[in-house]
Amino acid sequence: GWFAREIGGPHGGVAPSEVLITAGGQSALTTALRALAPPGAAVLVESPTYPGMLAAARASGLRPVPVPADTDGVRADLLAEAFRASGARVFVCQPLFQNPTGGVLSGARRAEVLRVARAAGAFVVEDDFARHLGHEDAGPLPGAMYADSTGNADGVVVHICSLTKATSPSMRVGALAARGPALDRLRAIQIVDSFFVPRPLQEAALELVGAPAWSRHLRTVAAELRARRRTMLAALAREVPALELTHAPRGGYHLWLRLPAGTDEGALVTAALRAGVAVAPGRPYFAAEPPAPHLRLTFAPAAAEGEIVEGVRRLRTACDALGMPPGAG
């Protein structure tokens, strides 16, 4: 019931009977992929996208097919073409503060994505992982696509959300929402895979989100994420302006950087580790050959803002070790 109210938003319209409780978002994603696509089938994904989703798709015997995305979300014109070319019947997307780009699917594209999926007889799996990770300056967030009373009246959207990222890695409680035959298929897969999430964990989660401190916690998270984003942006501009940032998202906990042409991102990641800082290479975020080298930097795990500044300074040391001029593009 709590998840139904969260997904439905202020306008409601989501019934508790539409919701399955899952062991976190990754479990929900795996269940959705297995339930909605047969082994060997193509599944459309944003490019770039979350590597855990690509791994889950491949482990289920599916073939991820990339569709280019930008800061306004997936290119809806290319999505229709990809459905036709691949025969896919599932598209997985992160409409809100996408991982890794931080993009937000625009209103016009949201409507077009639903129209295109419906025309293809396909499902849209909406991974709403960042709903509770908006920054203090994010402004009003768009509602879930699943709760769109017009666009999702026929149940084309399957929704995934989780409490984990806004609480603790150990709070493995999430939800799947679906309607009609899709819900029956999801429930059948979940019963085989995990049966149910242990009740003590569900009770602990409900006690947390039902407490007066929950809304205060989310405000604290929003303020801290905004401050950390600003700290990292300032440090990057000062230390390594060669790393191109095309979008500074107001949600999530990471930045997506394009490296200068010809940069060996693997060598840079290794040099960064030698310098004492961990950064993620861009290659695993692409289902096919990446168009350029990238890095993903995250500012959430740092104990304090000073660690973010020091981490960027060490990244500068790694860039220097590879002979990358700090101001080169």
Side-chain angles (χ1 to χ4, degrees), residues 66-123:
V67 183
D70 55 31
T71 54
D72 287 327
V74 68
R75 290 274 306 277
D77 55 330
L78 301 179
L79 183 66
E81 180 182 332
F83 272 126
R84 285 192 297 270
S86 67
R89 292 295 177 264
V90 176
F91 168 55
V92 183
C93 66
Q94 295 179 327
L96 189 60
F97 306 127
Q98 194 255 7
N99 182 4
T101 66
V104 176
L105 187 62
S106 67
R109 288 193 187 179
R110 281 166 66 108
E112 186 65 6
V113 164
L114 293 176
R115 187 196 67 77
V116 166
R118 185 172 293 105
F123 289 103

Side-chain angles (χ1 to χ4, degrees), residues 193-219:
D193 282 355
S194 58
F195 203 44
F196 61 87
V197 176
R199 179 164 181 145
L201 184 57
Q202 293 195 51
E203 294 283 3
L206 196 55
E207 183 175 345
L208 172 65
V209 299
W214 174 242
S215 58
R216 185 168 66 248
H217 168 70
L218 293 181
R219 289 194 298 271

Side-chain angles (χ1 to χ4, degrees), residues 210-237:
W214 174 242
S215 58
R216 185 168 66 248
H217 168 70
L218 293 181
R219 289 194 298 271
T220 301
V221 169
E224 186 68 20
L225 288 174
R226 177 194 188 189
R228 287 170 179 238
R229 182 198 78 216
R230 287 182 164 182
T231 297
M232 181 171 277
L233 287 172
L236 287 169

Side-chain angles (χ1 to χ4, degrees), residues 123-139:
F123 289 103
V124 174
V125 177
E126 176 188 29
D127 182 4
D128 200 20
F129 81 102
R131 176 66 50 181
H132 295 132
L133 300 178
H135 300 176
E136 194 175 42
D137 55 354

